[in-house]
Amino acid sequence: GAAYFVFTKKGNIRSGPGTKYRVIGQLAKETIAEIPDTFHDYEAKWIAIDAESASDEQMKGKKVVYTKWVHRSLGVVIKGDINEVDKYFAIKETGWSQEMQEAILEGKVKLGMTTHMVFYALGKPDEITESGSGKQQWVYRKPGNRPLHLFFEDDVLTNMRN
């Protein structure tokens, strides 16, 4: 599947995976770069990216894609389609605590999360049950796993069980 590297700070692009390779450019904070389909080591120290460069006259208007390398500390890897990148930016703009943002981006839930946060973390539940006076139960079912039951009071996660 698709994967992207989103720069969380301005950083150098190198011609190879390491500081011994020359710096061939820089990208600004919040720049989005595609990760080549053939690269799958998303936990690696150096991440390959595809960056398009404007064509020169010899290429007669065609764009050429070059593989370049960035240090993992310069950003985050987002797996999935471009909608996942949009989700990342939406979460970053919420003003939620760093702890909650990280949990959501990892697909985890914590007590004290709002229904909105849980929706971003896990997606739409398989079942929602309302039990009056601001209480809800959300159920997530994944094949091969026990159902996850989340209990909300006034849109805040107060309890959960598998």
Side-chain angles (χ1 to χ4, degrees):
Y4 299 88
F5 188 84
V6 177
F7 284 78
T8 55
K9 54 188 156 195
K10 180 178 175 180
N12 291 334
I13 303 168
R14 296 191 175 265
S15 61
T19 55
K20 67 182 179 189
Y21 293 92
R22 68 184 176 87
V23 174
I24 55 176
Q26 279 193 337
L27 287 176
K29 179 180 179 180
E30 298 186 350
T31 300
I32 303 164
E34 282 190 61
I35 296 175
D37 292 341
T38 55
F39 186 88
H40 299 288
D41 189 3
Y42 303 125
E43 301 302 318
K45 191 174 187 178
W46 291 91
I47 305 292
I49 62 170
D50 280 341
E52 291 186 359
S53 61
S55 60
D56 61 25
E57 291 178 28
Q58 295 173 346
M59 295 305 295
K60 297 182 182 173
K62 294 182 181 176
K63 288 193 172 190
V64 179
V65 177
Y66 299 96
T67 299
K68 298 170 175 48
W69 295 85
V70 295
H71 196 273
R72 187 163 199 349
S73 67
L74 295 175
V76 296
V77 172
I78 299 175
K79 294 177 251 177
D81 63 21
I82 197 68
N83 291 327
E84 292 300 313
V85 176
D86 290 342
K87 174 180 159 182
Y88 168 83
F89 282 112
I91 291 166
K92 288 296 181 183
E93 292 173 4
T94 60
W96 296 331
S97 72
Q98 186 70 27
E99 177 189 6
M100 289 299 193
Q101 288 181 29
E102 288 173 7
I104 292 164
L105 290 169
E106 292 171 8
K108 297 178 182 174
V109 294
K110 295 180 171 224
L111 296 179
M113 283 185 165
T114 65
T115 53
H116 195 67
M117 292 171 171
V118 172
F119 184 82
Y120 268 125
L122 301 179
K124 183 179 176 184
D126 296 302
E127 180 183 331
I128 297 177
T129 306
E130 307 240 0
S131 59
S133 53
K135 294 185 179 184
Q136 289 184 335
Q137 177 182 335
W138 290 15
V139 180
Y140 290 88
R141 292 183 181 85
K142 289 185 181 178
N145 292 328
R146 294 174 57 185
L148 174 62
H149 296 263
L150 303 178
F151 301 91
F152 297 89
E153 288 185 32
D154 297 320
D155 294 326
V156 176
L157 183 61
T158 57
N159 198 0
M160 56 184 152
R161 68 176 160 83
N162 283 31

